[in-house]
C-alpha cells in the first residue's frame, strides 16, 4: 500500500477525533454518536497498523 492511502487514513482519523471532541463539547453529548465515532476511529487505526 502506498503512502497516499496511509495519509488519507490519517486525515480520516484526525477528522473523526475532531468530531468526537466537538460532540463532547456540547451541553448534552450524544453517547451513541460518540460510541459510533470511536468505533470508526478504531477501524481506521487498525487498518493503518496493517501498513
Amino acid at each position: 500500500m502506498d503512502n497516499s492511502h496511509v495519509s488519507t487514513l490519517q486525515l480520516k482519523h484526525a477528522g473523526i477525533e475532531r468530531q468526537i471532541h466537538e460532540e463532547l463539547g456540547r451541553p448534552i453529548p450524544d453517547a451513541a454518536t460518540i460510541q459510533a465515532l470511536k468505533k470508526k476511529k478504531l477501524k481506521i487505526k487498525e487498518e493503518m497498523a496493517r501498513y
Side-chain angles (χ1 to χ4, degrees):
M1 195 57 55
D2 58 39
N3 281 344
S4 64
H5 184 67
V6 174
S7 295
T8 300
L9 290 173
Q10 289 171 336
L11 286 172
K12 285 182 181 181
H13 189 270
I16 292 171
E17 182 73 23
R18 190 172 55 251
Q19 286 178 290
I20 290 169
H21 284 292
E22 287 174 8
E23 187 63 35
L24 289 171
R26 292 174 48 164
I28 303 174
D30 182 358
T33 299
I34 292 168
Q35 186 177 15
L37 288 169
K38 285 184 177 182
K39 281 184 181 181
K40 278 175 69 174
K41 191 173 104 172
L42 181 60
K43 283 184 181 182
I44 291 170
K45 188 174 182 178
E46 288 170 348
E47 189 173 345
M48 284 190 298
R50 282 187 252 148
Y51 301 104

